[in-house]
Amino acid sequence: MSIFKKKPKTELPAISTASLPDIVFMLLFFFMVATVMRNDTLIVKNELPYADQIEKLERKNMVIHIYAGKPSSRYKNVGTEAKIQLNDKFASIHEVRSFVLEEIKSKPEELRPFLTTAIKVDKDTKMGLVGDVKKELRAVHMLKINYITKRGQASNNLQ
Amino acid sequence: MARRLAPEVNAGSMADIAFLLLIFFLVSTTIETDYGISRRLPPLPEEIKPDAFVKEKNLFRVELNQVNELFVEKKPLRLEQLKAAAIAFLDNGGGVATEYCGYCKGTRDPKSSDNPNKAIISLINSRETNYEAYIAVQNELISAYNELRNREAVRIYGVSFTEMKAQLKDVNHSGDKTKLRERIKEIQSMYPEKLSEAEPVTAEL
């Protein structure tokens, strides 16, 4: 019977890898859609606290970012005290004012009344620093702020 | 003549190219978190007109000390109880005559707030308080306001307040947005967010 006839060649055919690019492209597209370009390199620790009464920040171009937290492990030489980060570098509290004014000036005129300051503060920071930042913002009339948090139960914070 | 098949193109390096792109995106992008608690800061003290007299019973004092302990009206309280306490205070409606609150469902305790319009929550924190504890407290207080607003919005319009806000932001929403905005204003005025933050106190030893 012909079905039992032994095949003359025993060599295995090469496994087709033609679908491998498709899989990788799928991953690639996922990352392209789900992420955004990094605009600031974080040099402070930035582990955000949890909250659930949160709103989405709309319009990327209407947001000014201020980071604060302990210097990250690579920048241990500047000390362990929590610091403010503005535009890729450490800043003192007095620089916040000029930074914010500079940022406001760089935005188009019609957007200026709607600017929001996003405050990304590490959860272990002391409120004194945050309070100082808030005072500086009040001094330059940037009253709309947003404490960036992670989505989650607020009770996760105090553990 | 037999049809000649086109020779198969070797696609083996395609995966390498795709990996290269993938790795580039992995390192140069971040998954952005743009969710947070929105607040409005008060203007500088010299620009605020001298505050009208606030009755002690219309003031709800929330205090966070330097070791992240929560005190409400000078008494220690657990974080999980804060929301209920804030709702009880805001929704009390103990006022009479012109200050009577028709929609309040509270206990109408004459020792607590008169009207949601008068009720002020005062949040005091120490300079040493942890940021995460502060955010947790803020979150609980805002959720108290939101719960009351949701309740009234469902009662009057049949939609919750948070949903109305989401609809207002939704570009594809088909309803009338000016009407929606008015409704949101209406609900907000029933329970105005009166959350005052004092200057942080320095740790007293």
Side-chain angles (χ1 to χ4, degrees):
Chain A
M1 281 171 118
S2 64
I3 32 171
F4 292 121
K5 209 191 272 173
K6 213 181 169 201
K7 280 186 182 165
K9 258 171 141 187
T10 48
E11 205 179 317
L12 280 167
I15 297 166
S16 167
T17 53
S19 53
L20 187 62
D22 301 0
I23 296 164
V24 182
F25 267 118
M26 225 154 72
L27 273 171
L28 174 66
F29 288 142
F30 166 73
F31 272 94
M32 283 172 75
V33 171
T35 62
V36 289
M37 281 288 171
R38 237 185 249 272
N39 36 12
D40 291 307
T41 318
L42 277 178
I43 52 177
V44 290
K45 195 167 149 252
N46 207 239
E47 219 174 287
L48 301 168
Y50 291 98
D52 51 10
Q53 304 298 317
I54 50 179
E55 282 166 46
K56 194 178 194 307
L57 264 184
E58 240 110 338
R59 306 282 295 271
K60 283 271 153 50
N61 54 350
M62 279 160 42
V63 181
I64 298 169
H65 290 277
I66 293 178
Y67 304 87
K70 291 195 171 74
S72 57
S73 52
R74 252 200 290 171
Y75 298 88
K76 276 281 146 65
N77 53 337
V78 287
T80 50
E81 266 306 293
K83 285 207 178 303
I84 302 167
Q85 180 192 346
L86 304 169
N87 271 347
D88 292 351
K89 52 182 182 291
F90 293 114
S92 70
I93 189 71
H94 314 288
E95 290 170 71
V96 174
R97 204 176 291 206
S98 55
F99 165 78
V100 173
L101 288 174
E102 200 74 16
E103 285 284 296
I104 294 172
K105 222 185 273 173
S106 73
K107 308 281 182 199
E109 190 92 48
E110 64 272 18
L111 290 182
R112 283 179 200 171
F114 308 108
L115 294 177
T116 311
T117 314
I119 306 185
K120 288 190 169 181
V121 180
D122 185 70
K123 59 183 185 160
D124 292 322
T125 314
K126 302 279 180 230
M127 272 311 287
L129 186 75
V130 183
D132 289 343
V133 172
K134 285 201 291 193
K135 211 188 269 173
E136 291 297 308
L137 289 175
R138 282 166 71 186
V140 288
H141 277 275
M142 275 299 296
L143 300 179
K144 267 171 82 179
I145 60 167
N146 193 304
Y147 303 106
I148 303 287
T149 60
K150 269 193 276 190
R151 194 191 285 269
Q153 284 293 312
S155 50
N156 291 350
N157 286 337
L158 294 165
Q159 272 165 1
Chain B
M1 197 173 87
R3 250 186 70 169
R4 248 202 304 167
L5 287 164
E8 203 175 303
V9 179
N10 184 8
S13 51
M14 178 111 112
D16 302 1
I17 296 164
F19 265 120
L20 222 74
L21 277 168
L22 175 65
I23 289 161
F24 167 71
F25 267 91
L26 276 172
V27 294
S28 65
T29 63
T30 45
I31 294 178
E32 193 76 14
T33 45
D34 347 310
Y35 287 90
I37 297 176
S38 288
R39 308 274 337 130
R40 214 183 157 79
L41 295 171
L44 279 181
E46 53 260 37
E47 288 160 42
I48 314 172
K49 44 188 179 300
D51 219 341
F53 174 70
V54 179
K55 280 189 211 159
E56 181 59 34
K57 66 171 186 171
N58 281 331
L59 202 59
F60 187 69
R61 291 174 198 275
V62 181
E63 211 175 327
L64 262 173
N65 72 2
Q66 62 270 32
V67 284
N68 306 324
E69 286 167 336
L70 182 66
F71 288 88
V72 172
E73 305 280 21
K74 311 265 182 219
K75 287 194 262 312
L77 198 79
R78 287 214 319 276
L79 181 72
E80 301 87 70
Q81 299 167 310
L82 177 62
K83 185 180 173 186
I87 287 178
F89 166 76
L90 291 170
D91 204 27
N92 179 55
V96 283
T98 52
E99 287 181 346
Y100 182 76
C101 165
Y103 48 87
C104 292
K105 293 196 173 65
T107 51
R108 307 204 181 269
D109 178 5
K111 286 200 191 70
S112 189
S113 77
D114 286 331
N115 191 297
N117 275 310
K118 297 265 176 183
I120 296 174
I121 294 180
S122 152
L123 178 57
I124 304 164
N125 61 271
S126 153
R127 280 190 74 88
E128 299 295 304
T129 309
N130 255 359
Y131 178 66
E132 61 173 340
Y134 171 79
I135 287 293
V137 167
Q138 279 266 9
N139 187 60
E140 291 306 297
L141 293 177
I142 292 165
S143 79
Y145 278 111
N146 276 345
E147 187 168 317
L148 289 170
R149 285 174 172 179
N150 279 343
R151 192 191 74 195
E152 287 310 303
V154 168
R155 186 175 67 87
I156 301 172
Y157 304 116
V159 207
S160 77
F161 180 71
T162 35
E163 196 150 308
M164 287 206 289
K165 266 184 138 178
Q167 281 175 358
L168 187 67
K169 277 192 178 169
D170 186 7
V171 199
N172 300 321
H173 181 59
S174 53
D176 184 358
K177 285 217 171 166
T178 40
K179 212 164 121 195
L180 198 63
R181 206 168 281 133
E182 269 167 36
R183 287 179 170 189
I184 287 176
K185 276 232 174 79
E186 172 76 29
I187 296 292
Q188 275 173 338
S189 70
M190 289 171 92
Y191 289 104
E193 238 174 63
K194 294 199 171 177
L195 215 156
S196 106
E197 286 178 63
E199 299 290 314
V201 288
T202 35
E204 294 151 42
L205 294 168

